[in-house]
Amino acid sequence: METTSSQGAQQHPQLQHVCVASLIEPPSSEYSVGVTIPESIDRCVLGAVLCACHPCILSLAAHRFFHCNRGFSFILQIFNDIDIYSMTIYSKVTSRFAHNVITSRAVNRASVSKEVFFDVELPKTLVSDGVANPPKKEAAKKQYETSVSRGHTAGLVKASGRKTEKFTVSVNIAAASKVTFELTYEELLKRHLGKYEMLIKVKPKQLVKQFQVNCSGISFIFSSVYTEQLKTLVKTGHVSFKPTIDQQRTCDNCSTSFLDGDFTIKYDVKRDSPGNLQIISGYFVHFFAPANLPRVPKNVIFVIDISQSMLGQKMEQTKEALLKILDDVKENDYFNFILFNNRIIPWKEYLVKATLHNLKEARKFVKSIKATGSTNINDALIRTVEMMNEVHKEKVLPERSSSTIIMLTDGNPTSGEKIQENVKNAIQGRYSLYNLAFGYDMDYNFLEKMALENNGLTRRIYEDSDSALQLQSFYDEMANPMLREVQLHYPINATSELTQNNFNHYYDGSEIVVAGRIIDNDLNSFTADVKAHGANNDVTFTEQVDIEETAKALQDQEYIFGDYIERLWAYLTIQQLLEKRISAQEEKRRILAAEALELSLKYKFVTPLTSMVVTKPEDNEDKAAIADKPVEGRNIFIVLHCNVFAVDGDPHFLIEVPQKKDHLCFNINLNPGVVLNLVNDPDTGITVNGQLIGKKKVSNNGQTQKTYIGKLGIVNTQLDLKIEITTEKITLQNGRKTATFTWLDTTTLQQEGLTMEINREKNLVLSFGDGATFIVVLHRVWKKHPIHHDFLGLYTLDSHKVSEHTHGLLGQFFQHIDFEVFDIRPGSDPEKPHATMIVKNNKLTVTRVSEKDYGKDPSHGTIIPCWFIHNNGTGLIDGAHTDYIVSNLFSTPFIN
């Protein structure tokens, strides 16, 4: 991407050129509109692009596939003297496709440059990049290191909510200059309980002189709206919301804005037939959503974790949800409950029909549930499958019924082995297993793989005040099966590369989508046959269309992307390959990954296999950063690439040397209670100290006692700030004011010069304005562990932002360090070779070992090979290791 100058840039206020080339991959008030869209055209496009527009527009175009109830949030973070003087949102909805454009203009009225942040929250789906090719992760890293070696950075992506990922890019606006942010976003909406939903979150955080929302392309609005302004426009099929400055105020004389909420459109399409076929450019897509079918009876066993970790609010919310679910169970359904901890506790020895008497007894049982014990998932699921087998064998259940197992758990299994294999062998494809993962303490990947192997899925239930509603909402989605064993057939010799075309169930209010290629160029008509088991008999649906007429009808429409069906096919294919990869064996996993990677690169999708490079030219140099895609099963809180400088483990010091594409590591062996200076920057006034802790029990075998970081003290003298971090709490002292948080909190605190983000029971992120960012990782061990304590790990980001005078056990390595390794030879351990290293004019014997970096994955860590320097880092660190001992957590020995 290039930026060019213009005459307009010489006017006052000056237009500043800003360019971002390629990106990766809700609130107080709500406005909701319901619409019904004609079925005539079903548009669907995807992708994600950050690009620059002339003159001086920072543009984000995200055309990605989109799940129901997921939207995007646009936030422009502003500071003193930065005014947002215009914000417009334009949205056009046609069938399943919505095209949105958000434009925001800001001006810096100060006499000095100011920083403004462009924040976008986007759904947790595949993203595509329509400007630059998203490279493989290895290629992206090399591309990024070229820029980072010059001390540059551009943005970051992190998992920021239940359904969104957050992208942030900052831009410096020169004095008396303007900047324009433009976001273009296309969505394919997924049908949920009979409706599609488009959600827009806009938070300007100040009064805006020109604010406007326009939604058009709506043929019929069927639900109510919450403001008189919107009600007057309902009949026209065009929604316009243009609050004046005074209407935006939270009170008559307030300078704060009430614009901090959701703008929601809900709609469905009018269907003339159960299916809708669309064909263009050699690709087809088939949407299938039949209506007015008799409901298939359902047999369900709820397998509920009642171990000790479920005690308290989790258990109460689970009981509340189960009671509401019992209110919705239909009379011809069969059900049962199996509770488990270290014991298996069935409510009944068999499934019972949902009579009024049985439902009444079930409610009493649910109310009596109490939590205690450990977690034996294996025996609970095996007993559940045996119970389901018994009632089927005895023909107790309706012949044409659907059998499902729903398990809710909040933790890892503490007893039972080979669970996934045992459960798969027991179910043998006969029933669907749905896993509900309550909170973050369980192994999500374990549950996901087990569900996928058994025709189900895994859904995370977030610990919040609405957890009961989340549980009930999940059940509502699959409460009404209408068809079983749904198979969609297309001309055998005329099509290829079909996406998934057989499904265990079709649930009321959902929609099945299949796409593929048409390889017979002489084919005139196209037929889709759908066969399934219904409530009373087997059913067949047939739809036939003329290919030429269908393609012409689509081409006559005003499409934004003519190849949208091909891109839809690519999206579904990649998604399904990645899903199959989860439960595949190692060799098959590699094949599936290679296929998904090839398509990701061809169609420019950001997936867990690819990265995207974010750049923005400043000072005539391109700044680049890698943005990876977060994965649900792993809490990747920051995925911006940065050099690794860390102390974690017993304690292990880990130093990344990007020029060598290698790492150095060393240990410090001192007694528990000793406080070490880790980072000290006299120019910024930032100091970081860590206190060592040991094991609960000390062995008398003469070996060196392992120690860990148990407490951290961070001082910023310029902000008059002290932060004490332990494994139990975080205490922030700002002058005479003190605030205390626990690791059970999930919160973000922003004040001048500091942003602090706590990710519950995982990590703490501290960013000091234009300075470095520190990440503290919390390592939890079993509370009754006979030897080990909980401990902390410290990681640094943006180390290039500290001064050249920075020192400390970690800080001294923030500047460039050079070394040479040669004479690599076998060691006493064949897997740990020795070598000779020249560093700081010292000749050392070093050993090749592996340490763990928990910076990106606090739960599991990433194995990092490194050269280990013996004897407390002697020869690598400046002076002796004892030189870094300080008197207390808040000592600032080198700051005057």
Side-chain angles (χ1 to χ4, degrees):
M1 302 290 300
E2 295 182 355
T3 53
T4 57
S5 60
S6 68
Q7 293 180 350
Q10 306 303 319
Q11 300 172 359
H12 184 78
Q14 176 184 346
L15 281 177
Q16 178 191 5
H17 289 257
V18 180
C19 172
V20 177
S22 82
L23 160 78
I24 74 161
E25 341 208 285
S28 57
S29 52
E30 181 179 279
Y31 308 96
S32 179
V33 180
V35 299
T36 298
I37 308 291
E39 175 74 6
S40 56
I41 300 298
D42 287 55
R43 304 182 185 181
C44 35
V45 188
L46 35 125
V49 183
L50 255 176
C51 57
C53 307
H54 178 76
C56 137
I57 293 179
L58 179 62
S59 171
L60 169 67
H63 347 136
R64 74 161 79 191
F65 283 88
F66 186 90
H67 286 274
C68 170
N69 291 328
R70 299 181 180 183
F72 62 82
S73 173
F74 172 84
I75 305 173
L76 193 59
Q77 293 188 22
I78 49 85
F79 301 91
N80 294 336
D81 301 315
I82 301 291
D83 289 335
I84 305 172
Y85 62 90
S86 174
M87 181 180 289
T88 60
I89 304 168
Y90 178 76
S91 179
K92 182 178 181 181
V93 181
T94 304
S95 190
R96 299 160 180 82
F97 182 72
H99 176 77
N100 314 291
V101 180
I102 294 181
T103 305
S104 181
R105 295 179 171 87
V107 59
N108 178 12
R109 304 191 186 281
S111 58
V112 295
S113 64
K114 296 281 185 177
E115 188 173 29
V116 62
F117 291 85
F118 182 61
D119 290 350
V120 187
E121 290 187 30
L122 299 172
K124 292 180 179 177
T125 61
L126 296 185
V127 186
S128 91
D129 169 16
V131 171
N133 293 320
K136 297 180 183 179
K137 290 188 181 296
E138 296 84 354
K141 183 176 181 180
K142 292 178 181 178
Q143 191 174 347
Y144 173 73
E145 286 174 350
T146 302
S147 178
V148 88
S149 64
R150 298 195 296 263
H152 293 162
T153 186
L156 62 86
V157 174
K158 60 182 178 179
S160 61
R162 296 182 184 179
K163 303 168 183 177
T164 60
E165 295 157 0
K166 183 177 180 180
F167 172 79
T168 300
V169 63
S170 63
V171 177
N172 287 311
I173 309 179
S177 297
K178 294 181 179 179
V179 64
T180 298
F181 295 91
E182 183 177 280
L183 181 147
T184 302
Y185 189 85
E186 285 87 25
E187 314 157 14
L188 177 68
L189 307 180
K190 186 177 179 180
R191 194 165 183 251
H192 172 80
L193 298 178
K195 293 183 180 65
Y196 307 91
E197 179 176 301
M198 184 179 68
L199 175 65
I200 301 173
K201 299 181 181 183
V202 180
K203 302 178 181 181
K205 295 190 176 181
Q206 67 169 218
L207 301 175
V208 181
K209 183 178 180 181
Q210 299 173 2
F211 183 91
Q212 183 173 352
V213 178
N214 278 296
C215 294
S216 62
I218 301 170
S219 63
F220 177 74
I221 296 171
F222 64 78
S223 71
S224 62
V225 292
Y226 297 123
T227 68
E228 292 299 323
Q229 282 177 286
L230 291 176
K231 284 184 178 179
T232 60
L233 298 166
V234 167
K235 295 180 181 178
T236 67
H238 180 97
V239 177
S240 179
F241 180 55
K242 298 173 63 176
T244 64
I245 284 280
D246 289 337
Q247 290 172 326
Q248 295 175 41
R249 299 182 192 276
T250 53
C251 64
D252 289 343
N253 298 315
C254 293
S255 60
T256 52
S257 172
F258 80 89
L259 296 177
D260 184 16
D262 298 347
F263 192 95
T264 305
I265 294 177
K266 296 180 181 180
Y267 72 96
D268 199 3
V269 297
K270 293 179 179 177
R271 292 176 171 82
D272 298 325
S273 63
N276 175 245
L277 278 168
Q278 298 178 21
I279 302 171
I280 195 169
S281 301
Y283 287 83
F284 77 90
V285 61
H286 184 200
F287 299 99
F288 179 71
N292 302 318
L293 296 174
R295 179 181 178 276
V296 174
K298 184 169 76 279
N299 317 308
V300 59
I301 300 178
F302 299 94
V303 186
I304 307 299
D305 183 351
I306 59 165
S307 61
Q308 183 72 29
S309 57
M310 286 287 291
L311 189 64
Q313 186 179 22
K314 286 183 186 178
M315 194 74 263
E316 294 307 311
Q317 290 177 323
T318 299
K319 290 158 66 172
E320 178 186 348
L322 291 175
L323 290 172
K324 291 179 179 179
I325 288 171
L326 286 172
D327 291 338
D328 296 329
V329 174
K330 303 299 187 294
E331 186 178 358
N332 58 348
D333 289 344
Y334 282 72
F335 73 102
N336 198 359
F337 296 98
I338 289 183
L339 313 181
F340 71 96
N341 44 33
N342 51 307
R343 300 185 302 129
I344 310 304
I345 310 167
W347 170 50
K348 301 287 186 181
E349 292 302 319
Y350 47 85
L351 280 80
V352 299
K353 192 173 183 180
T355 62
L356 291 177
H357 172 75
N358 286 336
L359 289 171
K360 182 178 179 180
E361 291 298 312
R363 292 186 184 96
K364 290 181 181 178
F365 176 76
V366 168
K367 292 177 182 178
S368 69
I369 296 175
K370 296 180 180 179
T372 184
S374 57
T375 311
N376 188 347
I377 290 177
N378 184 82
D379 291 356
L381 287 176
I382 296 302
R383 178 68 186 98
T384 301
V385 175
E386 290 173 349
M387 182 182 293
M388 194 72 82
N389 290 340
E390 290 168 6
V391 291
H392 274 280
K393 183 179 180 180
E394 296 174 7
K395 297 184 178 180
V396 174
L397 307 176
E399 182 180 356
R400 290 182 171 273
S401 60
S402 170
S403 296
T404 301
I405 299 168
I406 301 176
M407 181 178 72
L408 170 70
T409 182
D410 77 330
N412 295 320
T414 54
S415 55
E417 298 178 354
K418 298 182 179 179
I419 301 173
Q420 292 169 333
E421 181 182 348
N422 293 342
V423 172
K424 183 179 179 180
N425 291 337
I427 292 180
Q428 296 183 355
R430 290 170 293 193
Y431 320 121
S432 296
L433 171 63
Y434 294 92
N435 291 327
L436 300 179
F438 206 145
Y440 281 97
D441 295 332
M442 81 299 296
D443 186 340
Y444 186 93
N445 295 332
F446 163 81
L447 295 176
E448 184 178 36
K449 179 181 179 182
M450 186 164 61
L452 289 173
E453 288 179 336
N454 295 285
N455 305 317
L457 56 84
T458 298
R459 178 79 55 84
R460 191 183 298 283
I461 303 299
Y462 294 84
E463 292 184 56
D464 212 333
S465 58
D466 69 340
S467 297
L469 291 176
Q470 295 176 54
L471 289 165
Q472 186 182 2
S473 176
F474 171 82
Y475 179 79
D476 289 344
E477 290 182 45
M478 45 82 63
N480 296 306
M482 296 300 178
L483 296 172
R484 294 186 302 112
E485 298 180 29
V486 184
Q487 298 182 354
L488 298 94
H489 301 282
Y490 307 96
I492 296 176
N493 298 321
T495 58
S496 69
E497 299 178 71
L498 295 178
T499 61
Q500 180 181 346
N501 63 330
N502 54 81
F503 301 84
N504 290 315
H505 297 95
Y506 165 71
Y507 293 107
D508 189 31
S510 66
E511 185 173 58
I512 290 175
V513 183
V514 180
R517 290 183 58 194
I518 298 177
I519 57 176
D520 186 351
N521 296 327
D522 298 324
L523 196 66
N524 296 319
S525 62
F526 190 89
T527 302
D529 289 314
V530 183
K531 298 181 179 180
H533 299 320
N536 302 319
N537 54 276
D538 291 349
V539 293
T540 300
F541 304 88
T542 301
E543 183 172 2
Q544 187 176 48
V545 296
D546 184 281
I547 293 179
E548 186 175 346
E549 290 181 2
T550 302
K552 186 177 184 302
L554 296 176
Q555 290 170 346
D556 288 342
Q557 304 299 318
E558 296 180 1
Y559 277 92
I560 299 168
F561 294 96
D563 63 348
Y564 80 98
I565 294 181
E566 181 180 351
R567 296 184 63 77
L568 169 56
W569 164 81
Y571 165 79
L572 289 174
T573 302
I574 294 170
Q575 186 183 57
Q576 291 166 13
L577 286 171
L578 293 175
E579 195 171 88
K580 290 178 182 177
R581 178 172 170 256
I582 293 172
S583 57
Q585 297 299 317
E586 188 61 34
E587 182 60 31
K588 184 64 173 178
R589 280 172 55 86
R590 286 196 289 268
I591 295 173
L592 293 170
E595 293 176 5
L597 176 60
E598 182 180 2
L599 283 175
S600 300
L601 296 173
K602 179 179 179 180
Y603 290 94
K604 304 178 183 179
F605 283 116
V606 177
T607 72
L609 302 175
T610 56
S611 296
M612 195 176 291
V613 177
V614 182
T615 62
K616 54 177 186 178
E618 291 181 9
D619 303 326
N620 297 318
E621 293 186 14
D622 284 349
K623 297 183 178 182
I626 292 176
D628 291 333
K629 179 158 184 61
V631 180
E632 174 63 47
R634 299 192 296 273
N635 183 24
I636 302 178
F637 54 96
I638 288 192
V639 294
L640 173 69
H641 179 274
C642 60
N643 293 347
V644 175
F645 300 97
V647 52
D648 205 344
D650 62 350
H652 300 294
F653 288 78
L654 183 64
I655 312 299
E656 181 179 5
V657 186
Q659 294 84 357
K660 297 291 186 179
K661 299 180 181 178
D662 210 340
H663 294 76
L664 305 177
C665 51
F666 61 93
N667 285 356
I668 296 295
N669 299 311
L670 289 168
N671 293 328
V674 169
V675 181
L676 294 170
N677 176 244
L678 305 176
V679 178
N680 197 294
D681 184 356
D683 292 0
T684 62
I686 295 176
T687 297
V688 182
N689 298 322
Q691 185 178 45
L692 303 180
I693 59 171
K695 297 179 179 180
K696 294 178 181 178
K697 294 182 180 180
V698 180
S699 60
N700 296 318
N701 56 10
Q703 294 182 351
T704 301
Q705 182 180 356
K706 291 186 176 182
T707 54
Y708 306 83
I709 298 293
K711 293 182 180 180
L712 287 166
I714 300 178
V715 180
N716 188 317
T717 57
Q718 293 184 2
L719 299 178
D720 193 16
L721 181 70
K722 294 181 180 179
I723 304 172
E724 181 178 353
I725 306 162
T726 72
T727 57
E728 300 299 327
K729 62 183 180 180
I730 300 103
T731 304
L732 189 152
Q733 183 177 341
N734 200 172
R736 296 183 178 180
K737 297 180 180 179
T738 300
T740 301
F741 306 87
T742 75
W743 283 102
L744 295 175
D745 294 323
T746 298
T747 187
T748 299
L749 172 69
Q750 288 185 316
Q751 64 183 55
E752 184 179 358
L754 172 69
T755 299
M756 182 177 78
E757 180 180 351
I758 302 173
N759 297 295
R760 176 187 172 95
E761 291 284 294
K762 295 293 181 182
N763 50 65
L764 166 70
V765 183
L766 291 166
S767 299
F768 290 100
D770 295 331
T773 295
F774 299 98
I775 299 174
V776 180
V777 175
L778 174 65
H779 294 280
R780 288 285 193 215
V781 300
W782 180 38
K783 291 184 182 297
K784 296 182 180 180
H785 198 288
I787 299 175
H788 296 298
H789 291 284
D790 296 342
F791 62 97
L792 303 173
L794 175 71
Y795 294 79
T796 62
L797 304 182
D798 301 330
S799 55
H800 59 276
K801 293 184 177 181
V802 301
S803 76
E804 63 182 358
H805 302 114
T806 301
H807 209 266
L809 274 170
L810 277 181
Q812 62 186 289
F813 300 106
F814 291 175
Q815 309 302 323
H816 174 68
I817 181 173
D818 195 14
F819 66 89
E820 293 295 333
V821 174
F822 56 93
D823 188 24
I824 300 176
R825 53 198 182 273
S828 57
D829 185 338
E831 296 183 359
K832 297 180 179 181
H834 294 323
T836 300
M837 174 182 290
I838 301 296
V839 58
K840 294 183 177 181
N841 295 319
N842 297 313
K843 186 176 181 180
L844 309 176
T845 297
V846 296
T847 305
R848 194 63 170 176
V849 300
S850 294
E851 303 291 2
K852 275 200 171 183
D853 173 6
Y854 292 91
K856 291 185 178 181
D857 185 355
S859 298
H860 304 94
T862 302
I863 295 177
I864 304 291
C866 61
W867 289 109
F868 182 79
I869 290 82
H870 298 272
N871 301 321
N872 296 297
T874 299
L876 174 66
I877 64 174
D878 294 337
H881 67 289
T882 52
D883 295 341
Y884 298 88
I885 297 175
V886 292
S887 59
N888 60 69
L889 280 177
F890 299 118
S891 292
T892 54
F894 306 118
I895 296 178
N896 296 325

